[in-house]
Amino acid sequence: MGRVIAAVFSILLLLVSMYLFGVAFQVASGQAFVFMGGILLMTISFFLPIHVFGKR
């Protein structure tokens, strides 16, 4: 059950990070911070399944 929750959570993080990439070009100020937040979330979304599913 933990693997399913980790997979759903990582997909959710991936979708939020892609949303932040798009929003970064529409905000009035702080575009770099929003974009870097998207990069950070995408990194976590790829790290989480590798870390969780890598253990046997």
Side-chain angles (χ1 to χ4, degrees):
M1 184 68 176
R3 289 183 175 193
V4 173
I5 293 172
V8 170
F9 186 66
S10 67
I11 291 171
L12 180 68
L13 285 177
L14 183 67
L15 293 175
V16 170
S17 69
M18 286 192 268
Y19 176 75
L20 285 177
F21 288 150
V23 169
F25 294 103
Q26 297 174 357
V27 294
S29 64
Q31 296 93 354
F33 295 114
V34 176
F35 195 80
M36 289 300 290
I39 290 175
L40 180 65
L41 284 181
M42 186 168 282
T43 303
I44 293 171
S45 74
F46 282 118
F47 171 76
L48 185 64
I50 291 170
H51 183 69
V52 171
F53 300 144
K55 296 180 180 180
R56 292 189 181 222

